[in-house]
């Protein structure tokens, strides 16, 4: 049954160790300053999200530069950033919260895909490998922890496949 399969995936030593490694990296990344995370893993475009969210939360509208409106972003990812900026005096004051959102979403995406791969293949090794590939592989380190909307999209795909 589906429930016993999910319970076995949670108990599997291979899957647990691999997921724990991804979680450990998430904790490491969460301890970095936002500036250090951006230098190590950042993509310039990702920094537009906190800036536009700050402007929306301050009632200035959807704008990056306060001169022209923009809609060049993933709407749901943006709306997850906006509440983080309510009441902030500066973007930097709340960048740590955005940073934690990015990391939690990245780790969640890796775990979700690990669970799906386990369900589809019934293999603990495949599930563990999926957790490592989604959470710790070079491309993932660059894209998932950067602040871009990629982990949110991966979570959406995982939810659609579940």
């Amino acid at each position: 049954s589906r429930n016993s399969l999910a319970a076995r995936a949670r108990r599997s030593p291979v899957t647990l160790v691999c997921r724990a490694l991804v979680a450990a990296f998430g904790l490491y990344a969460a301890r970095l300053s936002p500036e250090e995370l951006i230098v190590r893993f950042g993509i310039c475009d990702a920094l537009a999200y906190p800036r536009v969210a700050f402007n929306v939360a301050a009632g200035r509208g959807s704008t990056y530069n306060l001169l022209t409106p923009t809609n060049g972003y993933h709407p749901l990812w943006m709306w997850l950033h906006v509440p983080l900026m309510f009441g902030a005096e500066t973007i930097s004051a709340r960048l740590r919260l955005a940073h934690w959102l990015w990391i939690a979403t990245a780790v969640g995406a890796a775990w979700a895909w690990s669970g799906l791969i386990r369900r589809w293949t019934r293999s603990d090794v495949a599930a563990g490998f999926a957790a490592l590939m989604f959470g710790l592989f070079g491309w993932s380190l660059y894209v998932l922890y950067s602040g871009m909307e990629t982990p949110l999209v991966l979570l959406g795909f995982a939810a659609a496949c579940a």
Side-chain angles (χ1 to χ4, degrees):
S1 86
R2 186 174 180 179
N3 288 339
S4 65
L5 195 61
R8 278 195 342 211
R10 284 190 296 271
R11 289 191 307 259
S12 162
V14 173
T15 306
L16 284 174
V17 167
C18 293
R19 286 182 175 181
L21 288 171
V22 172
F25 179 80
L27 291 173
Y28 160 75
R31 293 195 59 193
L32 296 174
S33 70
E35 295 79 13
E36 195 171 359
L37 183 79
I38 290 164
V39 167
R40 291 183 184 203
F41 305 106
I43 296 175
C44 296
D45 290 352
L47 296 177
Y49 281 100
R51 176 179 286 283
V52 174
F54 177 78
N55 288 330
V56 169
R60 298 181 189 112
S62 179
T63 179
Y64 181 84
N65 58 13
L66 301 179
L67 300 174
T68 57
T70 185
N71 65 355
Y73 49 76
H74 188 286
L76 180 56
W77 193 233
M78 176 56 66
W79 284 108
L80 289 173
H81 282 76
V82 170
L84 304 177
M85 297 295 171
F86 282 124
E89 291 185 25
T90 65
I91 297 166
S92 298
R94 299 291 173 80
L95 194 55
R96 172 77 67 186
L97 294 176
H99 169 171
W100 290 342
L101 171 67
W102 304 345
I103 293 164
T105 309
V107 170
W111 282 29
W113 278 96
S114 171
L116 280 174
I117 297 299
R118 172 65 179 91
R119 192 171 105 206
W120 292 338
T121 66
R122 298 177 190 259
S123 167
D124 295 331
V125 173
F129 185 71
L132 294 177
M133 290 300 291
F134 275 96
L136 295 176
F137 184 65
W139 172 88
S140 299
L141 292 177
Y142 179 64
V143 174
L144 294 187
Y145 299 93
S146 70
M148 292 299 290
E149 65 275 5
T150 307
L152 179 68
V153 172
L154 290 174
L155 274 174
F157 284 150
C161 292

